[in-house]
Amino acid sequence: MREIRRSLAKSTKDFERRFGIPARTVEGWEQGRKIDVAHRVLLTVIAKSPEVVEAALAEAG
């Protein structure tokens, strides 16, 4: 998780602004808390195609 976040955002707050995942949740994952399947899928897509996720979020509102 930390590698994904660092490659795409300067901080957990920046990651939250870009992808809508609360900074505290990201911090928890970076500290070793379990990532559920749905979030693991989302993080995989974010890692591979962050612009697609940002575009989808922008369209959603």
Side-chain angles (χ1 to χ4, degrees):
M1 176 61 226
R2 183 168 283 133
E3 290 176 22
I4 294 170
R5 197 255 312 149
R6 285 184 176 168
S7 71
L8 298 169
K10 294 179 183 178
S11 67
T12 56
K13 287 287 189 186
D14 186 37
F15 196 86
E16 178 178 13
R17 280 189 289 278
R18 287 185 72 182
F19 303 109
I21 301 172
R24 289 186 53 93
T25 299
V26 174
E27 291 164 0
W29 293 339
E30 289 183 356
Q31 294 170 3
R33 290 196 190 111
K34 185 177 177 182
I35 302 172
D36 65 36
V37 174
H39 283 116
R40 188 170 304 281
V41 170
L42 176 58
L43 291 170
T44 300
V45 176
I46 288 171
K48 302 280 184 191
S49 301
E51 65 284 345
V52 171
V53 176
E54 288 179 303
L57 291 170
E59 283 182 26

